[in-house]
Amino acid sequence: MKATVRIMLKTGVLDPQGKAIEHALAALGFSGAGEVRQGKLITLELDETDPDRAREKVREMCEKLLANTVIEDYEIGIGE
Amino acid sequence: MKATVRIMLKTGVLDPQGKAIEHALAALGFSGAGEVRQGKLITLELDETDPDRAREKVREMCEKLLANTVIEDYEIGIGE
């Protein structure tokens, strides 16, 4: 079963990568783009076939390894 | 209008970050997780109000700056 994890910095946490992209876009002549934020997208294949158990397993992975929950929020998609 | 860009390495391109995560998950006792790939997720706010024009603008941003189209695929979401 496929799982997708979207990890973004929490609102209010400074995002230097996003800012760098925003400035680069402006320098390239793209106007009207703001609030650029960059996060991580992790996809994985799980042996688990039950969607609820798969989600719970990925949630544990996020809490223990994938996300830094002090500064990051995560969102889990199962079977996407 | 909000736009989301999902950038992943193309299938077949070696993903050392994904491999590192896969090994770390195994070391932490998570079994049954494979094919881990890590990509980028970029969100931005556009002045553009027309969804088609917004998508076209973001596509240009991807081609010129956000994605390395030699090794990466991108997917654009508008208004998500």
Side-chain angles (χ1 to χ4, degrees), chain A residues 26-39:
Chain A
L28 283 172
F30 290 105
S31 58
E35 292 178 41
V36 183
R37 312 274 291 171
Q38 179 175 332

Side-chain angles (χ1 to χ4, degrees), chain B residues 5-20:
Chain B
V5 184
R6 283 172 286 272
I7 302 168
M8 296 298 286
L9 285 168
K10 285 181 199 277
T11 313
V13 176
L14 194 70
D15 180 354
Q17 281 185 304
K19 278 285 165 228

Side-chain angles (χ1 to χ4, degrees), chain A residues 6 8 21 24-25 31-47 57 61 65-66, chain B residues 6 8 21 24-25 31-47 57 61 65-66:
Chain A
R6 283 172 286 272
M8 296 298 287
I21 294 172
L25 285 173
S31 58
E35 292 178 41
V36 183
R37 312 274 291 171
Q38 179 175 332
K40 286 180 282 188
L41 185 64
I42 298 170
T43 61
L44 59 166
E45 196 64 46
L46 295 169
D47 280 353
K57 202 165 180 177
M61 290 175 183
L65 178 74
L66 303 180
Chain B
R6 283 172 286 272
M8 296 298 286
I21 294 172
L25 285 173
S31 59
E35 292 178 42
V36 183
R37 311 277 288 172
Q38 180 176 331
K40 286 181 282 186
L41 184 65
I42 298 170
T43 62
L44 60 164
E45 196 64 47
L46 295 169
D47 280 353
K57 202 165 182 177
M61 290 176 184
L65 177 74
L66 303 180

Side-chain angles (χ1 to χ4, degrees), chain A residues 61-72:
Chain A
M61 290 175 183
C62 286
E63 294 287 333
K64 286 196 184 157
L65 178 74
L66 303 180
N68 176 352
T69 54
V70 177
I71 55 167
E72 292 172 327

